[in-house]
Amino acid sequence: MKQEEFFSSRWALIIATIGIAVGTGNIWRFSRIVAQNGGGSFLIPWAIFLLIWSVPLIIAEFALGKSARFGPIGAIAKTAGRNFGWMGAFIVFVSTAIMFYYSVVTGWCLKYFLSALSGSLFDAADNLKYWENFSSGYQPLIYHFISMAFVAVVVYRGITKGIEKVTKFMVPALLIILVILFVRAVTLPNAIEGIKYFFTPKLDVILDYKVWLNALTQNAWDTGAGWGLILTYAVYMRKKEDISLNAALIGFGNNSVSLLAGITIFSTVFSLSSVDAMTQVSQSGPANTGLTFIFLPLLFSKMSSSYLINVFFASIFFIALFFAAVTSLISMVELATRTFIDFGLRRRRAIIIVAAAGFLFGIPSALNLDFLTNQDWVWGVGLILSGAFISFSIIKYGADKFRTEIINGYGSDVKIGKWYNFVIGILIPIQVIVLILWWLVSSVGWDPEWWNPFHIENAGTAIFQWALILVLFISFNRLMVRYTLNNRKED
Amino acid sequence: MEISGVITLIAVTGLVWGGLAFFLSRAVKYEKIKKANGEK
């Protein structure tokens, strides 16, 4: 690889990877899940899972990418063996399937930023109607196209000139905006009620297994651990770059942003909501959009008596959301692009294929919220399998060998101890098994026709789509692995 | 605010934000050492 194919410094790598981890889920999903799971009762297991799930898997992804210098297919094939390249392909597909609808969501954020800036968001008499008019028309398609095209140009420009340049601007800007919003929110009258709810644990639910499992899934999805995205950026790490300290910074940095956003949302909602605040925070709304696109615009309009100040805060909130979405979308597009580069394509050709496919396969989600909800459900849960495959490849390679030779190898600032063997070899597989079993058992209860693959959110549709993809990738495993490992070309 | 809320606030923000500050300071330290050793 040429020199420009590496991140220029440790900070550039960390900022870009924070950009992956901090997404829209930190802002809207986190607050909703906290509200649904008893406030402080949820935060305790959520913080624990940062230590026993997210950080160990981020370390694993960094180490796999840095040592293999391939995307997930090549990295898994080199670590676990050529027979398991299909696992890497599944990881790629899950993140790419998420990319298809995430570009649509990125477009929503852009649209709401422009609406807030122009004031048309506050001119709307009914926020629900405003959202329904927007989401049921053709506009999401246009914003989806703009988002995908913008990100494609960034990824086309490569690591230092594209991804690094954009994330170096967007990630700090996002953090500054969040701090401004945080300060405004906690100084609103009655904001302390929101903070009280956010941190006070409900002792009757703290041992509820659902709270713990929701905490695990939220932390996993929040940090991007197990998505294959961090693995892809790690391909561009310099050889002398550290793994474990950087991984800890990403995990803790991401969760810090979630806490910041959570306190901001709860303070704002409890201060300005005239109706039951908790109902508003915890309700999902169509495609989980209730809080962000329907309720928050209403709250921003009440933030002060000055129209201009309200427009300012609403605008910076939605631009922050857009930055969070774009920096995550960039990594998803880069993951798919990297896979084609590993197959032997040049970056220019790979990005054209990925962007065109991303736009086309995102169209159903842009035009139909039910389709988007289905894809979010199927591939969101599929991430558990992605995490399991990463863990499996390290167990197959030998956890202790992986730790001593790769994680603690050349460039490491901090050496990690034998505890890592236990976490990656035993604790994470146990968490995967428990999580999948819980999910299967509870999803049977949610839908009497749990087996029906044509329902929007049930076990049947997820298992059907996973099986389809797995059968396809297992069938083409030999071909994919051969193309990846034997056809390396200079990018 | 109830005492359990205060404890949770201190524990969670202490772990997450304290952890971030700790790892950030370590990273800065190692970068300074590398710079002092003439590494780019």
Side-chain angles (χ1 to χ4, degrees):
Chain A
M1 276 193 286
K2 290 184 237 166
Q3 182 56 40
E4 64 259 39
E5 283 301 306
F6 292 92
F7 283 104
S8 62
S9 69
R10 165 181 235 152
W11 305 117
L13 172 72
I14 288 174
I15 286 172
T17 320
I18 288 267
I20 298 177
V22 176
T24 53
N26 294 67
I27 298 167
W28 76 49
R29 191 177 191 272
F30 177 70
S31 301
R32 181 166 54 83
I33 299 290
V34 172
Q36 287 170 348
N37 288 277
S41 322
F42 172 85
L43 293 177
I44 296 164
W46 172 79
I48 292 171
F49 284 122
L50 170 66
L51 304 175
I52 62 169
W53 175 278
S54 297
V55 172
L57 274 178
I58 296 173
I59 291 174
E61 284 205 40
F62 265 127
L64 281 170
K66 186 187 173 188
S67 62
R69 299 292 177 189
F70 279 109
I73 299 176
I76 301 268
K78 275 184 88 174
T79 314
R82 294 175 82 102
N83 289 339
F84 299 101
W86 58 269
M87 289 185 174
F90 183 82
I91 294 170
V92 173
F93 188 85
V94 170
S95 291
T96 306
I98 291 173
M99 176 193 88
F100 296 148
Y101 68 82
Y102 203 74
S103 172
V104 176
V105 174
T106 308
W108 295 347
C109 300
L110 178 61
K111 156 74 183 175
Y112 266 66
F113 162 63
L114 296 174
S115 299
L117 198 64
S118 67
S120 65
L121 192 59
F122 293 149
D123 296 339
D126 183 343
N127 292 96
L128 178 60
K129 206 154 202 163
Y130 187 84
W131 163 253
E132 283 174 347
N133 283 341
F134 164 65
S135 61
S136 60
Y138 63 90
Q139 283 195 61
L141 202 57
I142 296 170
Y143 285 99
H144 162 50
F145 178 79
I146 295 170
S147 303
M148 186 50 79
F150 173 72
V151 169
V153 170
V154 173
V155 174
Y156 167 70
R157 288 178 63 82
I159 299 302
T160 42
K161 289 181 189 160
I163 295 174
E164 193 176 311
K165 220 172 192 175
V166 169
T167 51
K168 263 185 177 172
F169 165 72
M170 283 191 176
V171 173
L174 163 68
L175 297 178
I176 291 168
I177 292 171
L178 283 178
V179 170
I180 294 171
L181 288 167
F182 172 81
V183 171
R184 179 66 193 114
V186 296
T187 51
L188 284 168
N190 226 22
I192 189 69
E193 291 306 317
I195 297 171
K196 269 186 197 172
Y197 186 89
F198 188 66
F199 283 106
T200 305
K202 284 181 186 160
L203 297 174
D204 53 325
V205 298
I206 202 162
L207 291 178
D208 186 342
Y209 73 102
K210 282 182 187 166
V211 172
W212 284 75
L213 289 162
N214 278 322
L216 170 57
T217 50
Q218 176 60 27
N219 212 311
W221 293 337
D222 217 7
T223 52
W227 289 52
L229 302 172
I230 294 171
L231 186 159
T232 305
Y233 275 14
V235 172
Y236 309 104
M237 277 172 98
R238 294 176 303 176
K239 203 178 172 192
K240 62 178 181 181
E241 212 70 81
D242 165 81
I243 289 175
S244 39
L245 188 54
N246 287 351
L249 265 174
I250 310 303
F252 279 84
N254 173 77
N255 278 29
S256 296
V257 172
S258 290
L259 273 186
L260 203 69
I263 295 171
T264 304
I265 300 257
F266 274 73
S267 301
T268 310
V269 170
F270 274 77
S271 173
L272 301 177
S273 175
S274 53
V275 289
D276 180 19
M278 278 330 302
T279 313
Q280 302 292 355
V281 185
S282 57
Q283 73 176 5
S284 298
N288 298 331
T289 52
L291 176 66
T292 311
F293 294 109
I294 298 161
F295 186 54
L296 281 180
L298 182 70
L299 290 190
F300 281 122
S301 68
K302 294 189 208 166
M303 208 157 209
S304 77
S305 54
S306 164
Y307 179 78
L308 279 178
I309 290 175
N310 296 345
V311 164
F312 170 75
F313 280 110
S315 302
I316 63 168
F317 173 77
F318 283 108
I319 194 73
L321 213 53
F322 176 66
F323 286 169
V326 162
T327 50
S328 301
L329 184 63
I330 287 172
S331 65
M332 295 174 201
V333 172
E334 173 59 31
L335 169 62
T337 306
R338 179 74 240 172
T339 305
F340 281 110
I341 292 172
D342 287 346
F343 284 157
L345 264 65
R346 295 205 173 274
R347 179 173 287 271
R348 183 188 293 188
R349 190 167 288 179
I351 187 64
I352 290 171
I353 293 171
V354 171
F359 175 68
L360 283 176
F361 290 111
I363 290 174
S365 295
L367 299 178
N368 187 330
L369 279 181
D370 284 344
F371 188 83
L372 188 150
T373 308
N374 171 264
Q375 291 300 287
D376 188 29
W377 163 253
V378 172
W379 304 114
V381 183
L383 287 170
I384 303 169
L385 291 183
S386 294
F389 291 157
I390 287 176
S391 176
F392 168 83
S393 67
I394 295 167
I395 294 167
K396 186 83 178 26
Y397 183 82
D400 197 54
K401 195 176 159 201
F402 187 80
R403 179 181 65 84
T404 50
E405 288 179 5
I406 300 175
I407 299 172
N408 290 346
Y410 180 72
S412 62
D413 291 331
V414 176
K415 309 283 183 206
I416 57 170
K418 285 188 175 174
W419 61 267
Y420 188 78
N421 304 352
F422 171 73
V423 173
I424 206 83
I426 295 170
L427 217 51
I428 287 183
I430 289 174
Q431 291 173 79
V432 169
I433 291 164
V434 171
L435 201 59
I436 292 280
L437 284 177
W438 165 76
W439 174 78
L440 274 173
V441 169
S442 49
S443 60
V444 167
W446 296 330
D447 182 357
E449 285 187 47
W450 62 269
W451 45 267
N452 191 332
F454 299 106
H455 282 195
I456 295 172
E457 287 179 286
N458 70 353
T461 185
I463 292 168
F464 175 71
Q465 293 183 58
W466 295 346
L468 211 63
I469 294 304
L470 283 170
V471 167
L472 188 75
F473 288 149
I474 291 169
S475 309
F476 287 99
N477 178 64
R478 192 173 287 184
L479 196 68
M480 287 187 303
V481 171
R482 200 173 61 215
Y483 260 95
T484 303
L485 298 185
N486 298 351
N487 279 329
R488 163 147 278 172
K489 277 188 183 173
E490 289 301 308
D491 177 16
Chain B
M1 198 165 181
E2 287 173 36
I3 188 74
S4 58
V6 176
I7 293 169
T8 311
L9 187 150
I10 294 168
V12 173
T13 56
L15 175 75
V16 176
W17 287 343
L20 175 66
F22 171 75
F23 291 119
L24 201 55
S25 69
R26 302 285 286 181
V28 170
K29 183 186 140 190
Y30 286 116
E31 282 306 298
K32 274 184 182 168
I33 293 171
K34 282 178 184 169
K35 218 174 181 181
N37 291 340
E39 287 181 41
K40 278 187 182 175

